Amino acid sequence: MNFASDNWAGAAPAVMSALARHNSGFSPAYGADPLTDRISERFNDIFEREVAVYFVATGSAANSLALSAYARPGGVIFCQNDAHIRVDECNCPEFMTGGGKLVGIAGPDGKLTPDGLREALQAFPDGVVHHGQAASVSISQATESGTVYTLDEIAAIREAAQARSLPLHMDGARFANALVTLGCSPADMTWKAGVDVLSFGATKNGCWCAEAVVFFDPEAARGFEYLRKRAGHLFSKSRFVAAQFDGYFEEDGWLATAAHANEMASTIAEGIRAAGGRTAWPVEANEVFPILKRSRFQALEAAGARLYEWPATDLAATIAPSEDEVCLRMVTSFATTEAEVEAFLSTLAGAA
Amino acid sequence: MNFASDNWAGAAPAVMSALARHNSGFSPAYGADPLTDRISERFNDIFEREVAVYFVATGSAANSLALSAYARPGGVIFCQNDAHIRVDECNCPEFMTGGGKLVGIAGPDGKLTPDGLREALQAFPDGVVHHGQAASVSISQATESGTVYTLDEIAAIREAAQARSLPLHMDGARFANALVTLGCSPADMTWKAGVDVLSFGATKNGCWCAEAVVFFDPEAARGFEYLRKRAGHLFSKSRFVAAQFDGYFEEDGWLATAAHANEMASTIAEGIRAAGGRTAWPVEANEVFPILKRSRFQALEAAGARLYEWPATDLAATIAPSEDEVCLRMVTSFATTEAEVEAFLSTLAGAA
Amino acid sequence: MNFASDNWAGAAPAVMSALARHNSGFSPAYGADPLTDRISERFNDIFEREVAVYFVATGSAANSLALSAYARPGGVIFCQNDAHIRVDECNCPEFMTGGGKLVGIAGPDGKLTPDGLREALQAFPDGVVHHGQAASVSISQATESGTVYTLDEIAAIREAAQARSLPLHMDGARFANALVTLGCSPADMTWKAGVDVLSFGATKNGCWCAEAVVFFDPEAARGFEYLRKRAGHLFSKSRFVAAQFDGYFEEDGWLATAAHANEMASTIAEGIRAAGGRTAWPVEANEVFPILKRSRFQALEAAGARLYEWPATDLAATIAPSEDEVCLRMVTSFATTEAEVEAFLSTLAGAA
Amino acid sequence: MNFASDNWAGAAPAVMSALARHNSGFSPAYGADPLTDRISERFNDIFEREVAVYFVATGSAANSLALSAYARPGGVIFCQNDAHIRVDECNCPEFMTGGGKLVGIAGPDGKLTPDGLREALQAFPDGVVHHGQAASVSISQATESGTVYTLDEIAAIREAAQARSLPLHMDGARFANALVTLGCSPADMTWKAGVDVLSFGATKNGCWCAEAVVFFDPEAARGFEYLRKRAGHLFSKSRFVAAQFDGYFEEDGWLATAAHANEMASTIAEGIRAAGGRTAWPVEANEVFPILKRSRFQALEAAGARLYEWPATDLAATIAPSEDEVCLRMVTSFATTEAEVEAFLSTLAGAA
């Protein structure tokens, strides 16, 4: 019953076999290999346009380097309060952007709202050098609260960003999970909705280390290869990242693993509700944030379930944990089994 | 006949099978997994003392982060002119150290000399704020010229560094190759000779991405985990780097692959000399820098050999290429076969 | 009727005459001159202990460099929401600290509270690399709201900082104004209350450019001269900053100018209250934040008064401006005359 | 007999009286004052075109911020070996440019040569990410060796830079001295010869702190105000820098002080030659580098002369100091008197 995080899983079988398959022979280093070329083409297909794709080592690097491509001196990046870039990357975005500032904005269900963005932007009028200058807007899809922006929501944020000529970044650490939820195309969820640059994460959904920065306007990517290399993120044996993506995309396996993870999360959420419990936020991807009596949490832990307590801030009074309750985080992945979910739910029922 | 670079090879069989072996099940992320712990212990064994080990994505990151642990404002890092950190890392060390300066020092056979170091240090006396302050000394073992420092040479550099209280960094992108050449222990070649921090590279010698920063004084590593994370170099599925090292170290395979690569380089060097040719520098690890008539180089290329022209600077007049000659670089690896080497040498003989 | 800012004033007569007095003859550059030495001694006297003093060009530089002396990778600096370092320095602290993060904490009357600090620190537990690491705490004395911390308040913040081994920085852009209000000694208001490093501002109170970073533990200042020079803040003709301080300190003139400015502010505040108005925050130094009917503000402006509208956030409902009211900022200085204040108050009365 | 440096002098009378003249009354802060506007216009007049002018605190800041306006990730700045930006600014350019690399190029008489530049640029071909990317070229006028580039020399460097689309920066710490030597207009010596951005230094030639960054294409200055503020270099009481320039430019006083300093240097040089001595480099501005017997140097020092020993590198064998000789540096300024020069020369004659 391991629901600690989707990065506790290993690599999906298709990914492992692709790694083995592409291991033989010599291949040019530093991304000049034919497989990297082929995977870049595959990204063009997936996004239905020519894109510029750069592999990096981690999601933190993808986010921070993507934002650094739009950095300005005294630059300010706007995001929702709980955004990973703001609270979980040890100032990597600040470092990579030469001292950028991340302004967190409150928003319901882990989402940035256009109104929240507009209000925050008012504190940074153009031309007032003391406050610095607005540089970019970033959203996470799916969010840190396990919710998913609708296409209209993304477009509305885009509009608010565009009013100040700001580029829109999407942290897609759980891109596939959100995509499956919306049932739209990758193009719909990104550049057609106004996204300029995407951190395309595949690690959590079945790779071991496959993260890419995707620019929808290749011209905007000018110089990015230097930003990446300057940060030590150009792999010499780049073909092994390409290989992972090769396995990942094979027969749309990435959508299948995401769909499975999402389904497991839904099943858990239903089970919790059936047991009279509730979740802090709607369950729209592969994360569940149950609010449970502390005693039930302890019983679950005693039974071997791995899940984390989670700081549940900004919740409405009707939802927020009471004194004897606790908010938890559960994450599912391709590796989550139905048996695990069933075991969890029956333990939960027993603990009631 | 591929001698382009050792990072054109794939991963060695033991590494690939270790990746597959450690793929199953859940494992804590971000380096808190038992395998990472076990491999850290393995590093202690290998170096015969307690060390602090940190995995990162690339050799550039390993070098730059290691140096950043000893950064000072206005800091100056001393290295040989051809050092990778100075000419091949797109200012990654400068960036990671907050604007450090790399001072290149001429030295024979790709080596820094104690006298060269001492002379360079004189231009940076303590307390003269205008010039900045000496921060560290870095050597590459094996060097960029394919040579290997003796233990005495390392100790003598250490002494010159120590006279100014400077730490000594070793870029060990080809650590195993040098180690096999010297036939000493890893401890002998590092902390016993005065090395403070090591970039331990395994990628070129058979992994696909396994680089580690090794501090010989764990106390000096304080805060390093933040430097690494701030740079986006903390892998979430860290166990896969640990897995590579597990395969790498298995039954001393890493020494065997390095020994093989070195032997292939020696065979090539002997063949070149037998054919009346010469090399720019002594062949002491897995790189050969032949100086050949341009016509022979063209014949080799026409026959399918992959090798690069190389800028041969600072060579003695008796060795430097003449007008119709060219200096080349050939790199061997675990994947280089005797058949390839034979084919190369007979093509060379035929081209004479 | 100029109340726009204290940095709209020129230099006080004693400062100008000191500049002229110390202009003759040759003097070593870069702070090695006898006058700089003498002023450093003067700082020792003023603070009743040996301190390390460094002149820099601006208050932004003083704050940012002081904080950079205590920077850590992924470092987090804690301050009140409205702190100058957080909202008015174009990310200079973030830049100088290599990507530090400024966490703003709500607090009444522009003040950081020990409880607010403790709560904020809880989100950054030691050893959780993802969140970065707590690095320092900063307070402004006087605050951006024109209030002054009592000695007990400073000591309580110090205690909360100390519980996490964090140094305490004081932004003393209006140090003299606060000092005069408290009627204590400079030592009392700084190191005796637990301040580790001070930005000692003299520009607003009568110099033209005289700002100093003062370390109360000279040992903590090690390397600071490199931080300053690396940022381009070491004046060549340093004696002219020293000269300004010489004039500033002469016959305790700095306390007199601050006392005058404070008194002018008090007089304004009393006049406003007498006219039935109120201020957003207590008037404890040389700033007044009146809340007036917009029509009265317009009448004042029409009569030639210079003062700014001010964002009045976080005010209690009983104080906050109503729809037809506006919050303003008025700043007095050594150059503010009683006549100006009288003219302002009678205009205000007439506009009622 | 003080020839230690031109920044050992105080401020010229016209500058001091301008400071006093502009001290009265209130004036907007942060460069929004009418005097700053007026001086900006004055720069337009002086350079015969619309320029963008930014005051900063020091020459190091002017150079480093000017270069940061043209920074690129992994960027490389090319300059002569002895350039101040390379050896005397404690890595300020490296820091401000986010880790830029300064490549020093040997050149005679302290000058960068077009051939030297072209050769150095060859090591940094476009598109090779490992080496970083060429970013800018910088020259010092007058040079650190006291020589002055002719207009043709500047234009030829510009041509070599332009072949790689690189901007040309001029470090004009001693701009006026060079200008007087050439007898041309400021426009001739800068944008008409292809200079893109200039560090216009006035401190050494009679101000106490007046340095400006001048962009000849105002469009290229976009965002520069943020770079300056981010580095803590926006003065609040900016009018006092403007005031210094007002006094500096008054009745072409700046050209007169520079002419005087140059003449004093010429007189010294002639005296040295008359005494059978020689100088390391031609004396073309306000610096003299005599090569004297050590005994004569000691006699001069004993007589109270202030002058520094200087590392005389890269000198032709016919000029370089012999074993019992020493190379010295003497700098003259507006404050150097004929009496001092006469005293120096007669002491020298007596020591022969």
Side-chain angles (χ1 to χ4, degrees), chain A residues 13-275:
Chain A
V15 169
M16 282 308 288
S17 66
L19 276 172
R21 182 166 72 244
H22 293 297
N23 185 35
S24 62
F26 294 97
S27 200
Y30 299 118
D33 60 291
L35 186 59
T36 292
D37 276 354
R38 189 146 64 76
I39 297 303
S40 294
E41 289 293 327
R42 190 86 176 82
F43 271 90
N44 291 347
D45 295 345
I46 285 169
F47 285 102
E48 303 171 42
R49 66 176 292 162
E50 200 194 337
V51 299
V53 182
Y54 299 87
F55 305 152
V56 297
T58 65
S60 293
N63 286 333
S64 303
L65 287 169
L67 293 167
S68 77
Y70 296 96
R72 298 173 171 188
V76 181
I77 299 158
F78 297 85
C79 60
Q80 205 267 357
N81 263 333
D82 303 319
H84 206 267
I85 55 169
R86 197 174 88 93
V87 296
D88 274 313
E89 289 174 351
C90 193
N91 300 10
C92 188
E94 286 92 338
F95 178 62
M96 293 287 186
T97 56
K101 192 193 291 285
L102 294 172
V103 166
I105 300 169
D109 298 338
K111 292 184 187 175
L112 185 64
T113 64
D115 283 348
L117 175 57
R118 271 186 288 264
E119 191 188 328
L121 281 165
Q122 280 175 21
F124 295 88
D126 284 333
V128 179
V129 73
H130 306 280
H131 303 340
Q133 53 185 334
S136 58
V137 176
S138 178
I139 57 175
S140 308
Q141 177 78 320
T143 73
E144 298 297 313
S145 299
T147 57
V148 173
Y149 288 96
T150 65
L151 299 188
D152 285 349
E153 286 173 334
I154 299 171
I157 290 168
R158 162 62 169 191
E159 198 187 324
Q162 196 63 7
R164 289 288 293 278
S165 306
L166 298 179
L168 181 58
H169 166 254
M170 178 180 278
D171 174 355
R174 297 189 176 97
F175 185 85
N177 303 94
L179 190 67
V180 162
T181 297
L182 293 185
C184 66
S185 74
D188 288 337
M189 201 168 83
T190 54
W191 61 274
K192 287 186 175 175
V195 173
D196 294 286
V197 65
L198 167 70
S199 301
F200 185 90
T203 303
K204 290 182 197 291
N205 188 37
C207 292
W208 94 250
C209 106
E211 304 286 323
V213 180
V214 180
F215 289 87
F216 295 105
D217 173 7
E219 184 58 25
R222 277 187 40 165
F224 188 78
E225 60 185 344
Y226 293 94
L227 284 170
R228 177 176 61 173
K229 179 73 183 174
R230 184 182 69 168
H233 279 284
L234 175 59
F235 283 111
S236 57
K237 297 187 176 176
S238 170
R239 68 160 126 166
F240 286 102
V241 180
Q244 291 178 71
F245 279 119
D246 196 40
Y248 187 66
F249 291 140
E250 201 178 303
E251 293 179 14
D252 286 344
W254 64 303
L255 301 178
T257 49
H260 171 77
N262 286 6
E263 198 187 319
M264 293 297 98
S266 291
T267 305
I268 291 169
E270 280 158 30
I272 284 167
R273 278 191 292 270

Side-chain angles (χ1 to χ4, degrees), chain C residues 187-230:
Chain C
D188 287 336
M189 201 167 85
T190 55
W191 61 274
K192 287 187 176 174
V195 173
D196 295 287
V197 64
L198 167 71
S199 300
F200 185 91
T203 304
K204 289 183 196 292
N205 188 36
C207 293
W208 94 250
C209 105
E211 304 284 323
V213 180
V214 181
F215 290 88
F216 295 105
D217 174 6
E219 185 57 26
R222 275 188 39 168
F224 188 79
E225 58 185 344
Y226 293 93
L227 284 170
R228 177 176 61 173
K229 178 73 183 174
R230 184 181 71 166

Side-chain angles (χ1 to χ4, degrees), chain D residues 14-32:
Chain D
V15 169
M16 283 307 288
S17 66
L19 276 172
R21 182 166 72 243
H22 293 296
N23 185 35
S24 61
F26 294 97
S27 200
Y30 299 118

Side-chain angles (χ1 to χ4, degrees), chain B residues 28 57 87 134 174 186 215 219 255 279 340:
Chain B
V87 297
R174 296 188 176 94
F215 290 87
E219 184 58 26
L255 301 178
T279 63
E340 278 183 303

Side-chain angles (χ1 to χ4, degrees), chain C residues 2 5-13 16 19-21 23 25-30 57-58 60-61 84 88-93 95-98 202-209 225-227 229-241 244 306 333-336 340, chain D residues 2 5-13 16 19-21 23 25-30 57-58 60-61 84 88-93 95-98 202-209 225-227 229-241 244 306 333-336 340:
Chain C
N2 197 305
S5 186
D6 32 8
N7 54 30
W8 285 44
M16 283 307 289
L19 277 171
R21 182 166 71 244
N23 184 36
F26 295 96
S27 200
Y30 300 117
T58 65
S60 293
H84 206 266
D88 274 313
E89 288 174 352
C90 193
N91 301 9
C92 188
F95 177 63
M96 293 287 185
T97 56
T203 304
K204 289 183 196 292
N205 188 36
C207 293
W208 94 250
C209 105
E225 58 185 344
Y226 293 93
L227 284 170
K229 178 73 183 174
R230 184 181 71 166
H233 278 283
L234 175 60
F235 283 111
S236 58
K237 296 186 175 175
S238 171
R239 68 160 127 166
F240 286 103
V241 180
Q244 291 178 70
R306 291 293 310 242
S333 75
F334 76 93
T336 305
E340 276 182 302
Chain D
N2 197 305
S5 186
D6 32 9
N7 53 31
W8 285 44
M16 283 307 288
L19 276 172
R21 182 166 72 243
N23 185 35
F26 294 97
S27 200
Y30 299 118
T58 66
S60 294
H84 206 266
D88 275 313
E89 288 174 352
C90 192
N91 300 11
C92 189
F95 178 63
M96 293 286 186
T97 57
T203 303
K204 289 182 196 292
N205 188 36
C207 292
W208 94 250
C209 107
E225 58 184 344
Y226 293 93
L227 284 169
K229 177 74 184 175
R230 184 181 70 167
H233 278 284
L234 175 59
F235 283 112
S236 57
K237 298 187 176 175
S238 171
R239 69 162 125 166
F240 287 102
V241 180
Q244 291 177 71
R306 294 292 310 242
S333 74
F334 77 93
T336 306
E340 277 183 302

Side-chain angles (χ1 to χ4, degrees), chain A residues 2 7-11 16 20 23 26-30 57-58 90 92 96 203 207-208 229-233 237 239-240, chain B residues 2 7-11 16 20 23 26-30 57-58 90 92 96 203 207-208 229-233 237 239-240:
Chain A
N2 196 305
N7 54 32
W8 285 45
M16 282 308 288
N23 185 35
F26 294 97
S27 200
Y30 299 118
T58 65
C90 193
C92 188
M96 293 287 186
T203 303
C207 292
W208 94 250
K229 179 73 183 174
R230 184 182 69 168
H233 279 284
K237 297 187 176 176
R239 68 160 126 166
F240 286 102
Chain B
N2 196 306
N7 53 30
W8 285 45
M16 283 307 288
N23 186 35
F26 294 96
S27 201
Y30 300 117
T58 66
C90 193
C92 189
M96 293 285 186
T203 304
C207 292
W208 94 249
K229 177 74 183 173
R230 184 181 70 166
H233 277 284
K237 297 187 176 176
R239 69 162 127 167
F240 287 102

